[in-house]
Each structure stands twice: as C-alpha cells, then as structure tokens.
Amino acid sequence: MKLIIDGMLGKLARWLRMMGHDVEYPNSRDDSELLTIAKKERRILLTRDFQLYQQAIAKEIDSFYVEGQTEEQRLSELAMRFGISLEIDMATSRCPKCNTQVKPISKEKVAGRVEKSTFEHYTEFWECPKCGQVYWQGAHWTRIRETLKTAEQHLQKQKKGSV
Ligand SMILES: [Zn+2]
C-alpha cells in the first residue's frame, strides 16, 4: 500500500513501514502539501485531523480518518479497512526511519557496527541501503510481537461486531 501520513501519526508511519508499506511522512505540516503529494502519487492519506480528511475527500483523494487512541487500535482499524496483515515479514520490511526496503546483511559485515553483546547473541541482521541503519530481531521484538498480537485481537473483535 502507498500511504501518506500526517504529522500527528509518526509512530504509526514507522509501524506501517516495518510492515512493508510505502509510507511518506513529510516533515512539513502544510496540509495543502500533504494533499498535493497524496493526489500526485496516488497515496492514501491517513489523518487524525477531521478537517483535513474532509478536504481530501472533496478532492477525491482516498483518505482514512484514524480514530484509535493506541497503536494497537490504529493498526487493527487499518487491517479492518484495507485488509493489511498484522505481521512483519523481513523480506518486505522497510526502514522505519527512511522508508527504504531493508536487505539481509551477513553477520561479519555488522562487526563493529553493533554492540558486542548484540553481535554475539544474534545471527540475522538487516541493513537499510539508504541510511545504513542495521536491524536485528532483538529483545524489543517481544514488545513488537505483543503489539501486533493485541492489534489482531482487536481486529477479531471488530469483525465480530462487538466493538
Ligand atoms: Zn533507512
């Protein structure tokens, strides 16, 4: 999915990139610029600004008004609306910082670029070819998996119509 996200939803932008979606997240908070990019690049606009949402709809831009308060709720709303899967596949995952698809990198190549303990504990690493950030499925992945699991539970409830 190609998306553009307004300035209030930076955390969601990072999640969606990790989940493999092409997400623009302009630094500028200029609404007309967001709308122009969305239109030109045929991106779906995600926003928490109802006025901006209405402007987008008036310009025939595909837009989604995000209501959820937590990341889990927001992700499940998007899964419900767009049918995206609530998982991260490293084969398609994008750099949360710069939106570039990450590539596997051999362990030898990250020597000296990550903490020694990280290097010793993990065997699989990925690198962003654009910004050079190295990724691995470290301790923080427990939280990532929990968030996705909770989002999936919200989704199942929504599907049953109990929310
Ligand atoms: Zn990057």
Side-chain angles (χ1 to χ4, degrees), residues 117-138:
S117 57
T118 302
F119 186 77
E120 282 165 3
H121 268 85
Y122 300 97
T123 52
E124 281 193 299
F125 294 90
W126 291 264
E127 182 188 36
C128 171
K130 194 174 175 194
C131 74
Q133 180 74 42
V134 176
Y135 296 98
W136 63 94
Q137 295 183 328

PDB file of all heavy atoms in Angstrom, residues 117-138:
ATOM      1  N   SER A 117      27.650  -7.356  22.585  1.00  0.00           N
ATOM      2  CA  SER A 117      26.695  -8.355  23.091  1.00  0.00           C
ATOM      3  C   SER A 117      25.637  -8.691  22.027  1.00  0.00           C
ATOM      4  O   SER A 117      25.223  -9.839  21.892  1.00  0.00           O
ATOM      5  CB  SER A 117      26.025  -7.857  24.363  1.00  0.00           C
ATOM      6  OG  SER A 117      25.384  -6.629  24.123  1.00  0.00           O
ATOM      7  N   THR A 118      25.223  -7.682  21.281  1.00  0.00           N
ATOM      8  CA  THR A 118      24.256  -7.901  20.196  1.00  0.00           C
ATOM      9  C   THR A 118      24.880  -8.808  19.143  1.00  0.00           C
ATOM     10  O   THR A 118      24.278  -9.775  18.689  1.00  0.00           O
ATOM     11  CB  THR A 118      23.870  -6.557  19.542  1.00  0.00           C
ATOM     12  OG1 THR A 118      23.337  -5.709  20.538  1.00  0.00           O
ATOM     13  CG2 THR A 118      22.860  -6.734  18.420  1.00  0.00           C
ATOM     14  N   PHE A 119      26.114  -8.491  18.794  1.00  0.00           N
ATOM     15  CA  PHE A 119      26.827  -9.270  17.781  1.00  0.00           C
ATOM     16  C   PHE A 119      26.942 -10.740  18.204  1.00  0.00           C
ATOM     17  O   PHE A 119      26.760 -11.646  17.398  1.00  0.00           O
ATOM     18  CB  PHE A 119      28.216  -8.662  17.554  1.00  0.00           C
ATOM     19  CG  PHE A 119      28.971  -9.312  16.429  1.00  0.00           C
ATOM     20  CD1 PHE A 119      28.665  -9.025  15.104  1.00  0.00           C
ATOM     21  CD2 PHE A 119      29.981 -10.221  16.697  1.00  0.00           C
ATOM     22  CE1 PHE A 119      29.350  -9.633  14.058  1.00  0.00           C
ATOM     23  CE2 PHE A 119      30.681 -10.839  15.662  1.00  0.00           C
ATOM     24  CZ  PHE A 119      30.354 -10.542  14.343  1.00  0.00           C
ATOM     25  N   GLU A 120      27.198 -10.937  19.479  1.00  0.00           N
ATOM     26  CA  GLU A 120      27.364 -12.307  19.973  1.00  0.00           C
ATOM     27  C   GLU A 120      26.045 -13.073  20.050  1.00  0.00           C
ATOM     28  O   GLU A 120      26.006 -14.279  19.825  1.00  0.00           O
ATOM     29  CB  GLU A 120      28.024 -12.280  21.363  1.00  0.00           C
ATOM     30  CG  GLU A 120      29.522 -12.049  21.267  1.00  0.00           C
ATOM     31  CD  GLU A 120      30.157 -11.659  22.599  1.00  0.00           C
ATOM     32  OE1 GLU A 120      29.444 -11.616  23.627  1.00  0.00           O
ATOM     33  OE2 GLU A 120      31.376 -11.384  22.597  1.00  0.00           O
ATOM     34  N   HIS A 121      24.953 -12.354  20.352  1.00  0.00           N
ATOM     35  CA  HIS A 121      23.663 -13.012  20.565  1.00  0.00           C
ATOM     36  C   HIS A 121      22.895 -13.350  19.294  1.00  0.00           C
ATOM     37  O   HIS A 121      22.102 -14.274  19.281  1.00  0.00           O
ATOM     38  CB  HIS A 121      22.751 -12.126  21.415  1.00  0.00           C
ATOM     39  CG  HIS A 121      22.863 -12.402  22.868  1.00  0.00           C
ATOM     40  ND1 HIS A 121      23.829 -11.815  23.650  1.00  0.00           N
ATOM     41  CD2 HIS A 121      22.137 -13.209  23.673  1.00  0.00           C
ATOM     42  CE1 HIS A 121      23.692 -12.242  24.896  1.00  0.00           C
ATOM     43  NE2 HIS A 121      22.688 -13.093  24.932  1.00  0.00           N
ATOM     44  N   TYR A 122      23.066 -12.557  18.260  1.00  0.00           N
ATOM     45  CA  TYR A 122      22.188 -12.703  17.093  1.00  0.00           C
ATOM     46  C   TYR A 122      22.964 -13.110  15.852  1.00  0.00           C
ATOM     47  O   TYR A 122      24.149 -12.793  15.724  1.00  0.00           O
ATOM     48  CB  TYR A 122      21.409 -11.399  16.845  1.00  0.00           C
ATOM     49  CG  TYR A 122      20.560 -11.042  18.040  1.00  0.00           C
ATOM     50  CD1 TYR A 122      21.009 -10.136  19.001  1.00  0.00           C
ATOM     51  CD2 TYR A 122      19.330 -11.671  18.240  1.00  0.00           C
ATOM     52  CE1 TYR A 122      20.250  -9.860  20.139  1.00  0.00           C
ATOM     53  CE2 TYR A 122      18.570 -11.393  19.365  1.00  0.00           C
ATOM     54  CZ  TYR A 122      19.027 -10.495  20.312  1.00  0.00           C
ATOM     55  OH  TYR A 122      18.275 -10.229  21.427  1.00  0.00           O
ATOM     56  N   THR A 123      22.258 -13.823  14.962  1.00  0.00           N
ATOM     57  CA  THR A 123      22.923 -14.273  13.736  1.00  0.00           C
ATOM     58  C   THR A 123      22.361 -13.595  12.495  1.00  0.00           C
ATOM     59  O   THR A 123      23.032 -13.486  11.495  1.00  0.00           O
ATOM     60  CB  THR A 123      22.771 -15.803  13.563  1.00  0.00           C
ATOM     61  OG1 THR A 123      21.393 -16.137  13.685  1.00  0.00           O
ATOM     62  CG2 THR A 123      23.576 -16.555  14.601  1.00  0.00           C
ATOM     63  N   GLU A 124      21.092 -13.118  12.607  1.00  0.00           N
ATOM     64  CA  GLU A 124      20.475 -12.497  11.437  1.00  0.00           C
ATOM     65  C   GLU A 124      20.429 -10.984  11.599  1.00  0.00           C
ATOM     66  O   GLU A 124      19.926 -10.475  12.602  1.00  0.00           O
ATOM     67  CB  GLU A 124      19.045 -13.020  11.267  1.00  0.00           C
ATOM     68  CG  GLU A 124      18.986 -14.390  10.635  1.00  0.00           C
ATOM     69  CD  GLU A 124      17.545 -14.690  10.212  1.00  0.00           C
ATOM     70  OE1 GLU A 124      16.680 -14.722  11.087  1.00  0.00           O
ATOM     71  OE2 GLU A 124      17.309 -14.865   9.006  1.00  0.00           O
ATOM     72  N   PHE A 125      20.910 -10.311  10.554  1.00  0.00           N
ATOM     73  CA  PHE A 125      20.891  -8.844  10.556  1.00  0.00           C
ATOM     74  C   PHE A 125      20.384  -8.325   9.219  1.00  0.00           C
ATOM     75  O   PHE A 125      20.487  -9.004   8.201  1.00  0.00           O
ATOM     76  CB  PHE A 125      22.305  -8.303  10.818  1.00  0.00           C
ATOM     77  CG  PHE A 125      22.831  -8.619  12.181  1.00  0.00           C
ATOM     78  CD1 PHE A 125      23.546  -9.789  12.401  1.00  0.00           C
ATOM     79  CD2 PHE A 125      22.607  -7.760  13.254  1.00  0.00           C
ATOM     80  CE1 PHE A 125      24.035 -10.109  13.669  1.00  0.00           C
ATOM     81  CE2 PHE A 125      23.083  -8.069  14.527  1.00  0.00           C
ATOM     82  CZ  PHE A 125      23.807  -9.246  14.736  1.00  0.00           C
ATOM     83  N   TRP A 126      19.843  -7.108   9.261  1.00  0.00           N
ATOM     84  CA  TRP A 126      19.388  -6.442   8.047  1.00  0.00           C
ATOM     85  C   TRP A 126      19.957  -5.025   8.052  1.00  0.00           C
ATOM     86  O   TRP A 126      20.209  -4.458   9.106  1.00  0.00           O
ATOM     87  CB  TRP A 126      17.861  -6.366   8.001  1.00  0.00           C
ATOM     88  CG  TRP A 126      17.223  -7.711   7.820  1.00  0.00           C
ATOM     89  CD1 TRP A 126      16.814  -8.268   6.635  1.00  0.00           C
ATOM     90  CD2 TRP A 126      16.917  -8.675   8.829  1.00  0.00           C
ATOM     91  NE1 TRP A 126      16.287  -9.516   6.855  1.00  0.00           N
ATOM     92  CE2 TRP A 126      16.334  -9.794   8.186  1.00  0.00           C
ATOM     93  CE3 TRP A 126      17.083  -8.714  10.215  1.00  0.00           C
ATOM     94  CZ2 TRP A 126      15.923 -10.928   8.882  1.00  0.00           C
ATOM     95  CZ3 TRP A 126      16.674  -9.837  10.912  1.00  0.00           C
ATOM     96  CH2 TRP A 126      16.097 -10.936  10.247  1.00  0.00           C
ATOM     97  N   GLU A 127      20.109  -4.502   6.834  1.00  0.00           N
ATOM     98  CA  GLU A 127      20.657  -3.149   6.723  1.00  0.00           C
ATOM     99  C   GLU A 127      19.783  -2.325   5.794  1.00  0.00           C
ATOM    100  O   GLU A 127      19.272  -2.841   4.790  1.00  0.00           O
ATOM    101  CB  GLU A 127      22.070  -3.240   6.140  1.00  0.00           C
ATOM    102  CG  GLU A 127      22.751  -1.900   6.015  1.00  0.00           C
ATOM    103  CD  GLU A 127      24.073  -1.992   5.261  1.00  0.00           C
ATOM    104  OE1 GLU A 127      24.162  -2.804   4.313  1.00  0.00           O
ATOM    105  OE2 GLU A 127      24.995  -1.242   5.618  1.00  0.00           O
ATOM    106  N   CYS A 128      19.640  -1.058   6.113  1.00  0.00           N
ATOM    107  CA  CYS A 128      18.962  -0.153   5.187  1.00  0.00           C
ATOM    108  C   CYS A 128      20.015   0.354   4.212  1.00  0.00           C
ATOM    109  O   CYS A 128      20.994   0.985   4.632  1.00  0.00           O
ATOM    110  CB  CYS A 128      18.326   1.013   5.941  1.00  0.00           C
ATOM    111  SG  CYS A 128      17.718   2.285   4.819  1.00  0.00           S
ATOM    112  N   PRO A 129      19.831   0.076   2.896  1.00  0.00           N
ATOM    113  CA  PRO A 129      20.843   0.505   1.923  1.00  0.00           C
ATOM    114  C   PRO A 129      20.947   2.023   1.805  1.00  0.00           C
ATOM    115  O   PRO A 129      21.946   2.539   1.330  1.00  0.00           O
ATOM    116  CB  PRO A 129      20.375  -0.106   0.591  1.00  0.00           C
ATOM    117  CG  PRO A 129      19.044  -0.682   0.809  1.00  0.00           C
ATOM    118  CD  PRO A 129      18.704  -0.633   2.268  1.00  0.00           C
ATOM    119  N   LYS A 130      19.924   2.730   2.235  1.00  0.00           N
ATOM    120  CA  LYS A 130      19.956   4.190   2.104  1.00  0.00           C
ATOM    121  C   LYS A 130      20.614   4.871   3.300  1.00  0.00           C
ATOM    122  O   LYS A 130      21.579   5.603   3.155  1.00  0.00           O
ATOM    123  CB  LYS A 130      18.551   4.736   1.890  1.00  0.00           C
ATOM    124  CG  LYS A 130      18.544   6.171   1.427  1.00  0.00           C
ATOM    125  CD  LYS A 130      17.152   6.636   1.097  1.00  0.00           C
ATOM    126  CE  LYS A 130      17.163   8.126   0.757  1.00  0.00           C
ATOM    127  NZ  LYS A 130      15.780   8.654   0.767  1.00  0.00           N
ATOM    128  N   CYS A 131      20.096   4.614   4.503  1.00  0.00           N
ATOM    129  CA  CYS A 131      20.621   5.345   5.659  1.00  0.00           C
ATOM    130  C   CYS A 131      21.644   4.532   6.465  1.00  0.00           C
ATOM    131  O   CYS A 131      22.249   5.042   7.401  1.00  0.00           O
ATOM    132  CB  CYS A 131      19.482   5.854   6.546  1.00  0.00           C
ATOM    133  SG  CYS A 131      18.667   4.586   7.529  1.00  0.00           S
ATOM    134  N   GLY A 132      21.824   3.245   6.103  1.00  0.00           N
ATOM    135  CA  GLY A 132      22.859   2.443   6.746  1.00  0.00           C
ATOM    136  C   GLY A 132      22.498   1.873   8.106  1.00  0.00           C
ATOM    137  O   GLY A 132      23.314   1.204   8.746  1.00  0.00           O
ATOM    138  N   GLN A 133      21.279   2.107   8.554  1.00  0.00           N
ATOM    139  CA  GLN A 133      20.861   1.582   9.854  1.00  0.00           C
ATOM    140  C   GLN A 133      20.832   0.044   9.831  1.00  0.00           C
ATOM    141  O   GLN A 133      20.361  -0.548   8.876  1.00  0.00           O
ATOM    142  CB  GLN A 133      19.458   2.139  10.174  1.00  0.00           C
ATOM    143  CG  GLN A 133      18.877   1.681  11.499  1.00  0.00           C
ATOM    144  CD  GLN A 133      19.524   2.361  12.698  1.00  0.00           C
ATOM    145  OE1 GLN A 133      19.784   3.559  12.675  1.00  0.00           O
ATOM    146  NE2 GLN A 133      19.808   1.591  13.735  1.00  0.00           N
ATOM    147  N   VAL A 134      21.373  -0.569  10.882  1.00  0.00           N
ATOM    148  CA  VAL A 134      21.377  -2.028  10.989  1.00  0.00           C
ATOM    149  C   VAL A 134      20.232  -2.461  11.916  1.00  0.00           C
ATOM    150  O   VAL A 134      19.995  -1.838  12.954  1.00  0.00           O
ATOM    151  CB  VAL A 134      22.732  -2.530  11.549  1.00  0.00           C
ATOM    152  CG1 VAL A 134      22.698  -4.043  11.767  1.00  0.00           C
ATOM    153  CG2 VAL A 134      23.871  -2.150  10.610  1.00  0.00           C
ATOM    154  N   TYR A 135      19.512  -3.503  11.499  1.00  0.00           N
ATOM    155  CA  TYR A 135      18.403  -4.024  12.302  1.00  0.00           C
ATOM    156  C   TYR A 135      18.609  -5.486  12.656  1.00  0.00           C
ATOM    157  O   TYR A 135      19.242  -6.218  11.901  1.00  0.00           O
ATOM    158  CB  TYR A 135      17.082  -3.877  11.530  1.00  0.00           C
ATOM    159  CG  TYR A 135      16.715  -2.445  11.273  1.00  0.00           C
ATOM    160  CD1 TYR A 135      16.999  -1.851  10.044  1.00  0.00           C
ATOM    161  CD2 TYR A 135      16.113  -1.683  12.259  1.00  0.00           C
ATOM    162  CE1 TYR A 135      16.685  -0.512   9.804  1.00  0.00           C
ATOM    163  CE2 TYR A 135      15.795  -0.356  12.042  1.00  0.00           C
ATOM    164  CZ  TYR A 135      16.083   0.233  10.811  1.00  0.00           C
ATOM    165  OH  TYR A 135      15.784   1.537  10.587  1.00  0.00           O
ATOM    166  N   TRP A 136      18.072  -5.888  13.795  1.00  0.00           N
ATOM    167  CA  TRP A 136      18.061  -7.298  14.184  1.00  0.00           C
ATOM    168  C   TRP A 136      16.845  -7.498  15.086  1.00  0.00           C
ATOM    169  O   TRP A 136      16.292  -6.527  15.600  1.00  0.00           O
ATOM    170  CB  TRP A 136      19.359  -7.686  14.904  1.00  0.00           C
ATOM    171  CG  TRP A 136      19.582  -6.961  16.202  1.00  0.00           C
ATOM    172  CD1 TRP A 136      19.236  -7.380  17.456  1.00  0.00           C
ATOM    173  CD2 TRP A 136      20.164  -5.656  16.355  1.00  0.00           C
ATOM    174  NE1 TRP A 136      19.572  -6.415  18.383  1.00  0.00           N
ATOM    175  CE2 TRP A 136      20.148  -5.348  17.735  1.00  0.00           C
ATOM    176  CE3 TRP A 136      20.700  -4.711  15.461  1.00  0.00           C
ATOM    177  CZ2 TRP A 136      20.633  -4.143  18.237  1.00  0.00           C
ATOM    178  CZ3 TRP A 136      21.183  -3.506  15.960  1.00  0.00           C
ATOM    179  CH2 TRP A 136      21.163  -3.246  17.333  1.00  0.00           C
ATOM    180  N   GLN A 137      16.430  -8.777  15.213  1.00  0.00           N
ATOM    181  CA  GLN A 137      15.225  -9.030  15.996  1.00  0.00           C
ATOM    182  C   GLN A 137      15.606  -9.251  17.450  1.00  0.00           C
ATOM    183  O   GLN A 137      15.556 -10.365  17.956  1.00  0.00           O
ATOM    184  CB  GLN A 137      14.444 -10.196  15.387  1.00  0.00           C
ATOM    185  CG  GLN A 137      13.942  -9.820  13.990  1.00  0.00           C
ATOM    186  CD  GLN A 137      13.089 -10.884  13.343  1.00  0.00           C
ATOM    187  OE1 GLN A 137      13.280 -12.065  13.569  1.00  0.00           O
ATOM    188  NE2 GLN A 137      12.149 -10.458  12.528  1.00  0.00           N
ATOM    189  N   GLY A 138      15.957  -8.181  18.091  1.00  0.00           N
ATOM    190  CA  GLY A 138      16.454  -8.218  19.470  1.00  0.00           C
ATOM    191  C   GLY A 138      15.344  -8.264  20.503  1.00  0.00           C
ATOM    192  O   GLY A 138      14.193  -8.580  20.197  1.00  0.00           O
TER     193      GLY A 138
END
